[in-house]
Amino acid sequence: HGGYPGDRHMGGGAPQGGYGQVPAVGQGRPGEYYGRPPPPGDARGWVTRADGTKVSPKFEVELNQMYARCQNMGDVFRIWNEHGAMNGINIATALTRLGRWVHRNSQRTHHVRSSHEFRDILKLLRMKLCDNPDWTGARQLANAAHGLAKFDPGNPPRGVDVRGEIAALATIGRAATVKITQFNPQELSNMAWAFATSFHEEPNLFAAIADAAIPRAGQFKPQEISNTLWAFAKLGVDAPPLFLALADAAMSTRDHFNPQNVSNTIWAFAKRRMPHPVLHQAMGPVAARLAPQFSVQALANLTWAYATSNETHPEMFAALGDVAARQMHAFSPTALSDTTWAFSHCGCPHPALLNAIGEALGNRGRAFDFTPIALGKMAISFAEADGVNGYQLDPRHVESLLRTSQHFASGPRGVRTRDGTDMLEGLVTLKNHCGSQFPELFEDCFRAMDSAMARVVREFFPGDLARAADAFVTTGFDAPSFFEQILMSPLECFAEHRRKLIAPEQPQHILAATARLRWFEKEGSRALVVIFTERIERADDAAVVSVLESCAALGGLQSRALHGAVARSGRTFSDHPDLAARCLGAFAIAGAWYDDYLAAVFANVGSGTRSPAGARALSDFRAAVSLERPALAERCEAAPGSEVAVPDDRAEMREKLAKDLDALGWTRATAATGAAALADAADDASTTACLLADYDRVVRDVKAREHRPNGRSLFCARLLIRAGYRVEYLNPSDLFAARTDETVAATLLARLTGDEPPAKKLQAAEAAADDIAIDDVAMKDDDEA
């Protein structure tokens, strides 16, 4: 029947000292005390133990009562060493008492785990269930799993061996799956809760639990409903029929729910992204009525779940907001930020709660309790709540939030990857709402975030890296340190062990960000293009066009692999005429001529309405193809939509350049800043076309911080040269210097008018002058001699 005293495999020999005393059971009742031999001639029904002794059948019950009376580890192990276990009921009771004793106490958990008695109990349980799954009943399996879950084997301390506990849970799960029809609702709920708490996935077991629970959903009590839903959501088990059946049961018994039941039930639906408006509306009044009884964690989970599901209930949020404002200091930073964000996101901000948080941020001792991710959510909450439900954002609270965020970014602890990205996105949302009131504070905060995130850029997951890049683009802050680290080490950021996690959209977002902020590094930018090209088959049409446009905007990144892969993929954008036009423009700017492919794409452009970017791209393509690919131009002229007029979007820039040149006394040239300038250029081929490298027409090398014309400026220069014009590159810094230095102005005008000799002729003239000077010196020396 099981272990016995003296059997070392099952434990035996009482340990020395320290154990509590357990009262004997059955004393004074002849023939039933476990220590007495059976009466002579009456051994029927008595149980023979492994050591040959016989005990009364009632000893199993007495032994279980002894385990049930145990108060601590010493009591349980004393009985185990003296008597072992007769059946699964004894083991389940022992594990239940141990689990209750160690629950949420790491020191006690360590003591039990390090004992050989605990290991022997688990070994006996596994051995018996492997030999015979019917060795014990459904209730005992559920109780044993519940007791083991209290040890939290899914989250052990570093270096602690929990393989025995995991193996025991797996054995229990297999045995329970076989006899799942014997479980009642409470046992089903306890079994699911135990495995979810232990983070131990048993797909077959949970499928069996769902099949068994659906027909009996109406028999589930509120606690059983909430625990079962919570367990399935915790492990991410997909079981919509079970959720719907238990939702109906919850609505019929909602008057008997307590705050924890309400919170867990709604949280489970939000976690599994399963909308159920009827359930949310039914539970709202219940939560409002029970609001004073909510714990801070239950309140945070419930409000987060409503916000995540995009549901709201003003009466409930008003009642819970009063409770949250009174108990604000009892919340953890994460729970407080989740709660505040939920109130604002649902359109029910609570002024008293938000003002209390703002005052806490102003208190340096309290402000440092917040984490970066909590500060990010606070920033979003302030921005979304301003002007709603009578709340007005206090500038002092914004200032406190920004200073605290800057402290985290520039302090010794710094920010981590995901937390830092979340905080950055929150600050971006707040800046978009009220950035004009605190420009210097936001600038300092983003500068600190740039430095902090640059230090840990190699620790980012690709998705977080792309999110951070997008956030910096939204702010308009250049983030030189952050992008320098990405472009200097793209292969480390997208390391080999992470490549299976990389989606094509991630390098696409980073390339788009560098193009928008005008950062480049020859090898690093090209490496990002290669990473995208390797995954181009999984990329959608918009992502492909975005990368093509980024390469075209940066210039100098005409990757043969990228354009060849796009052409070979056969993407003609038949359903997206605007994308087709933008694709043609990107290929034209890059000078990547795949005639057959481009003709097929042009056939899908059509004559419909396009975005400004699509219209300009199509104009670029027509100008380039007419000058560089006459054969392709003939094929494309017959396509529909070839007569679409494109407005010139650079007229203001040309006027500015003309004024600057007028101030220097030179007005003979036409300032060409775009492909449309071809029509504005003078007929004389000697006319100079000046390309103004203004703030949105240059790119910067992250290493040398050098400026050079971007891809579009180079494209315009290429077309003007094809048309026979002489092109000069005019840097704004040259104009600035010419305004204050007459010598610089004269040199610049000479270069623009063509009076300045070419560099090679100038070098030859200087060399000839040096030779003449040497000859003069030699002749003078001869005369003196």
Side-chain angles (χ1 to χ4, degrees):
H1 278 276
Y4 62 94
D7 184 353
R8 291 300 305 162
H9 181 70
M10 297 301 137
Q16 296 297 319
Y19 286 173
Q21 299 296 320
V22 181
V25 180
Q27 288 187 352
R29 293 193 289 175
E32 295 183 355
Y33 177 49
Y34 61 85
R36 297 182 179 178
D42 186 18
R44 291 174 299 176
W46 286 67
V47 179
T48 303
R49 299 172 63 181
D51 61 354
T53 61
K54 294 182 180 293
V55 295
S56 166
K58 294 184 179 181
F59 172 62
E60 297 178 357
V61 177
E62 295 177 357
L63 182 58
N64 201 63
Q65 293 174 354
M66 294 170 65
Y67 277 120
R69 295 180 182 181
C70 295
Q71 299 298 321
N72 52 47
M73 177 187 75
D75 294 344
V76 174
F77 289 165
R78 172 187 173 84
I79 298 174
W80 171 260
N81 283 299
E82 291 181 359
H83 309 293
M86 301 297 296
N87 52 32
I89 300 175
N90 301 153
I91 290 183
T93 305
L95 290 175
T96 300
R97 303 308 298 180
L98 288 174
R100 183 173 300 179
W101 186 67
V102 305
H103 187 45
R104 296 180 180 176
N105 189 311
S106 58
Q107 186 175 9
R108 291 180 177 182
T109 302
H110 173 72
H111 287 328
V112 175
R113 278 182 173 149
S114 59
S115 64
H116 69 84
E117 291 90 348
F118 182 64
R119 292 192 294 270
D120 288 344
I121 292 174
L122 298 182
K123 187 183 298 183
L124 176 62
L125 177 64
R126 298 199 310 270
M127 180 182 67
K128 289 294 186 179
L129 289 178
C130 288
D131 291 343
N132 180 16
D134 294 328
W135 179 64
T136 191
R139 174 175 296 182
Q140 288 72 47
L141 291 174
N143 289 347
H146 194 275
L148 282 174
K150 296 296 184 66
F151 286 84
D152 198 12
N155 187 30
R158 186 186 298 267
V160 175
D161 185 6
V162 294
R163 289 176 295 178
E165 298 166 47
I166 298 299
L169 278 172
T171 305
I172 292 172
R174 289 191 295 269
T177 304
V178 175
K179 56 174 60 182
I180 199 67
T181 56
Q182 302 176 19
F183 283 66
N184 62 32
Q186 182 182 3
E187 293 158 1
L188 291 172
S189 174
N190 286 350
M191 184 67 71
W193 179 91
F195 278 78
T197 302
S198 304
F199 296 99
H200 185 76
E201 297 182 5
E202 282 288 338
N204 294 335
L205 172 63
F206 276 78
I209 291 175
D211 292 339
I214 292 173
R216 292 184 280 174
Q219 304 173 21
F220 277 65
K221 298 177 182 178
Q223 184 71 30
E224 296 158 3
I225 293 172
S226 63
N227 283 358
T228 304
L229 291 172
W230 177 88
F232 274 74
K234 184 75 172 178
L235 291 182
V237 181
D238 190 22
L242 174 66
F243 273 65
L244 295 177
L246 291 180
D248 293 340
M251 288 187 287
S252 64
T253 60
R254 62 182 180 272
D255 292 336
H256 301 289
F257 272 58
N258 62 32
Q260 191 66 43
N261 301 152
V262 176
S263 177
N264 285 353
T265 300
I266 300 298
W267 179 90
F269 278 85
K271 186 71 173 177
R272 294 303 302 151
R273 298 293 191 270
M274 289 186 60
H276 201 303
V278 177
L279 176 65
H280 285 82
Q281 292 305 313
M283 288 297 177
V286 178
R289 174 172 53 84
L290 299 174
Q293 304 176 29
F294 269 80
S295 66
V296 293
Q297 189 61 52
L299 190 152
N301 288 347
L302 179 62
T303 53
W304 174 89
Y306 267 82
T308 303
S309 301
N310 292 318
E311 298 287 345
T312 186
H313 195 283
E315 179 189 358
M316 181 195 74
F317 275 97
L320 293 177
D322 294 337
V323 176
R326 290 195 302 269
Q327 301 183 12
M328 192 202 74
H329 294 286
F331 282 80
S332 67
T334 301
L336 185 59
S337 63
D338 286 343
T339 303
T340 309
W341 168 81
F343 274 81
S344 300
H345 184 76
C346 291
C348 303
H350 197 279
L353 175 62
L354 289 167
N355 288 328
I357 292 172
E359 295 299 329
L361 288 170
N363 180 356
R364 291 182 61 85
R366 174 63 171 158
F368 295 158
D369 291 341
F370 291 96
T371 61
I373 189 173
L375 291 170
K377 287 193 174 182
M378 295 294 183
I380 296 175
S381 302
F382 283 145
E384 292 181 345
D386 190 22
V388 179
N389 204 22
Y391 173 72
Q392 295 297 325
L393 182 58
D394 190 333
R396 296 180 298 110
H397 298 165
V398 177
E399 183 177 355
S400 300
L401 176 64
L402 292 177
R403 293 193 183 282
T404 305
S405 301
Q406 183 181 355
H407 162 78
F408 271 103
S410 59
R413 290 186 295 176
V415 295
R416 293 295 177 261
T417 56
R418 179 157 299 178
D419 288 357
T421 303
D422 290 340
M423 184 168 79
L424 179 62
E425 290 179 334
L427 293 175
V428 168
T429 302
L430 186 60
K431 178 180 182 295
N432 293 338
H433 180 73
C434 60
S436 59
Q437 302 179 34
F438 310 93
E440 295 181 358
L441 279 177
F442 276 106
E443 185 76 13
D444 293 342
C445 197
F446 289 132
R447 186 177 295 108
M449 290 293 296
D450 174 36
S451 300
M453 299 180 79
R455 290 194 294 268
V456 295
V457 72
R458 292 175 180 82
E459 301 175 9
F460 275 74
F461 282 102
D464 295 332
L465 203 65
R467 288 171 53 208
D470 287 341
F472 277 120
V473 168
T474 305
T475 66
F477 183 74
D478 288 347
S481 301
F482 177 75
F483 284 102
E484 178 181 1
Q485 292 301 317
I486 293 178
L487 293 176
M488 292 295 292
S489 55
L491 296 181
E492 286 79 4
C493 295
F494 294 90
E496 288 292 338
H497 69 281
R498 298 179 184 174
R499 283 184 171 257
K500 63 181 180 180
L501 303 175
I502 300 175
E505 291 77 13
Q506 293 159 358
Q508 172 240 322
H509 279 281
I510 295 175
L511 280 168
T514 57
R516 287 280 301 277
L517 295 175
R518 300 173 287 116
W519 289 118
F520 85 100
E521 198 280 324
K522 182 177 180 181
E523 298 301 328
S525 300
R526 193 181 301 276
L528 289 173
V529 175
V530 171
I531 292 173
F532 176 84
T533 305
E534 293 173 350
R535 294 158 179 80
I536 196 170
E537 295 299 329
R538 294 188 283 126
D540 58 21
D541 291 347
V544 172
V545 172
S546 173
V547 173
L548 289 171
E549 290 179 328
S550 298
C551 292
L554 291 171
L557 294 177
Q558 287 72 41
S559 169
R560 292 179 179 271
L562 172 63
H563 294 87
V566 174
R568 289 190 299 273
S569 68
R571 297 172 186 261
T572 59
F573 311 100
S574 57
D575 297 330
H576 305 283
D578 192 70
L579 291 180
R582 290 164 55 191
C583 175
L584 292 173
F587 269 79
I589 292 176
W593 297 112
Y594 293 82
D595 291 7
D596 294 338
Y597 171 71
L598 294 177
V601 174
F602 191 87
N604 294 322
V605 169
S607 57
T609 303
R610 300 182 188 88
S611 66
R616 185 178 66 174
L618 190 59
S619 175
D620 294 341
F621 174 75
R622 288 173 180 151
V625 76
S626 63
L627 289 172
E628 298 182 342
R629 309 294 286 188
L632 179 59
E634 293 180 1
R635 298 171 63 181
C636 294
E637 283 303 320
S642 58
E643 300 302 327
V644 177
V646 182
D648 180 16
D649 63 334
R650 304 298 290 178
E652 293 182 1
M653 192 57 64
R654 285 204 304 279
E655 292 177 3
K656 175 185 175 184
L657 174 59
K659 291 180 180 179
D660 289 337
L661 293 176
D662 285 343
L664 296 178
W666 187 72
T667 60
R668 293 192 301 108
T670 297
T673 61
L678 285 172
D680 299 331
D683 294 334
D684 185 2
S686 65
T687 300
T688 301
C690 301
L691 298 181
L692 178 64
D694 59 287
Y695 291 110
D696 62 342
R697 285 287 172 85
V698 296
V699 290
R700 302 164 291 178
D701 191 317
V702 296
K703 291 188 295 186
R705 299 292 195 273
E706 295 177 351
H707 294 56
R708 67 164 176 78
N710 70 355
R712 185 166 187 80
S713 292
L714 297 174
F715 169 67
C716 294
R718 193 178 88 218
L719 296 188
L720 291 169
I721 292 172
R722 292 278 189 185
Y725 295 97
R726 183 172 64 85
V727 176
E728 292 287 347
Y729 169 59
L730 184 60
N731 195 309
S733 61
D734 297 336
L735 281 175
F736 298 150
R739 292 171 183 169
T740 57
D741 191 325
E742 294 183 357
T743 304
V744 175
T747 304
L748 176 62
L749 290 177
R751 178 164 67 86
L752 295 179
T753 57
D755 297 335
E756 182 184 31
K760 291 185 178 180
K761 289 185 178 180
L762 185 61
Q763 292 175 1
E766 291 177 352
D770 292 340
D771 292 340
I772 293 173
I774 292 173
D775 292 341
D776 290 343
V777 172
M779 291 174 62
K780 182 178 180 180
D781 292 342
D782 291 342
D783 292 342
E784 290 178 355

